[in-house]
Amino acid sequence: MAPVRGTRAARASGGPRAGPIPIVADQRGGRVMRKREPRWQSAAERARVAAELLEEAESLTETSTIATPADVRRAGLPPPIRVELPPEPAVPLPMAPAAQPPPVPPSLDGALADDPENVALLVERAQRLTAAGHHSAAQRDLERALARDPAHADALAALGLVLSRKGLWGEAVLQLRRVVETEPGRAIAWYHLGEALNKVDDLPGARAAYERAVELEPRNPKALYGLGIVLDRLNQPDEATRMYRRSREAAGR
């Protein structure tokens, strides 16, 4: 590059003019910077050059923005990337342990599987089977129970009822007589015995059984009605009518 002379004149003191000053293009923005010779001939020359440098610095400050080191570093970085992090999952609150369900009572079948000769369980299952109309299954359970305990009054009474439901009235009478002999205060057994005796046409025996049931339970409408039927069959209509009336009153009709 060809050297050019400085553009500034010497001050009025008449100092000598500066020699040729090489000009170098600045890499930032193409601004021209003057490269000074490192050595001067006199104090006046040095003062002149300092004044020119100060003037150029003021000119740069007015027209340009001087980048700071931080600006330079940022200029070399890629643009920032915005990243949205997913929200943190909510922490579930600790839950109290659920209450334990009540223990399930074992079924009769399961209990009898563990203890097949338990008389009380056999009688209870037979009574439920009778209520559901399964008379043959109930009879088997009751016969098993009586094989273990022949004088068990509940088993005898239940078997007498099952035999009655099956129409085996004569066999029912035998079982029910054993019940009232064992427990003479059982009114329901006297009632069932009176019913069975009436079916086998033992009218005096049926009347006695019904009267005993009414004696134990005076307001038993079924026993009163059964007694009325037997009295009718014995040709005692007035007594029969009185029993029918008492039966209706006991039933609340």
Side-chain angles (χ1 to χ4, degrees):
M1 178 181 296
V4 297
R5 292 186 178 275
T7 59
R8 306 295 180 184
R11 292 187 181 275
S13 59
R17 297 177 62 87
I21 301 174
I23 299 176
V24 180
D26 183 23
Q27 294 180 358
R28 294 180 302 171
R31 189 170 184 83
V32 177
M33 301 292 294
R34 294 172 181 168
K35 185 176 181 181
R36 303 295 181 181
E37 294 292 339
R39 301 177 66 85
W40 294 277
Q41 298 298 323
S42 64
E45 180 68 17
R46 290 196 298 273
R48 182 184 61 77
V49 172
E52 291 179 356
L53 290 173
L54 180 60
E55 185 179 353
E56 289 180 2
E58 291 175 353
S59 175
L60 287 172
T61 303
E62 293 174 357
T63 59
S64 302
T65 301
I66 300 175
T68 64
D71 294 332
V72 174
R73 288 194 298 271
R74 282 196 297 270
L77 295 176
I81 300 174
R82 299 180 63 86
V83 178
E84 294 185 3
L85 297 177
E88 295 184 0
V91 179
L93 297 176
M95 298 180 62
Q100 294 295 327
V104 178
S107 65
L108 281 174
D109 292 339
L112 281 169
D114 295 334
D115 188 4
E117 303 303 324
N118 189 308
V119 174
L121 292 177
L122 286 169
V123 172
E124 182 179 355
R125 187 170 69 175
Q127 290 171 341
R128 295 188 183 186
L129 290 170
T130 302
H134 303 296
H135 300 127
S136 296
Q139 183 176 351
R140 287 193 295 270
D141 278 350
L142 292 170
E143 289 173 349
R144 285 174 57 190
L146 290 170
R148 298 286 298 176
D149 186 358
H152 197 283
D154 289 340
L156 290 170
L159 181 57
L161 179 60
V162 168
L163 294 171
S164 298
R165 296 293 180 266
K166 295 179 72 174
L168 303 174
W169 299 106
E171 296 180 27
V173 168
L174 296 176
Q175 303 301 326
L176 293 168
R177 285 195 186 279
R178 293 176 62 189
V179 176
V180 296
E181 290 172 0
T182 304
E183 293 186 3
R186 186 180 289 224
I188 189 65
W190 284 107
Y191 164 74
H192 286 142
L193 178 59
E195 182 183 32
L197 290 170
N198 182 45
K199 292 293 184 179
V200 296
D201 296 328
D202 183 354
L203 298 181
R207 178 177 181 176
Y210 277 131
E211 287 177 344
R212 179 60 177 156
V214 170
E215 182 182 350
L216 293 170
E217 293 183 358
R219 296 190 61 79
N220 186 327
K222 290 184 177 181
L224 290 166
Y225 187 79
L227 180 56
I229 291 176
V230 171
L231 291 171
D232 252 340
R233 294 187 67 188
L234 291 172
N235 295 319
Q236 298 182 22
D238 294 339
E239 289 294 321
T241 300
R242 189 167 65 88
M243 291 300 113
Y244 293 147
R245 184 170 59 250
R246 287 181 60 186
S247 175
R248 289 195 299 270
E249 291 173 355
R253 295 196 296 268

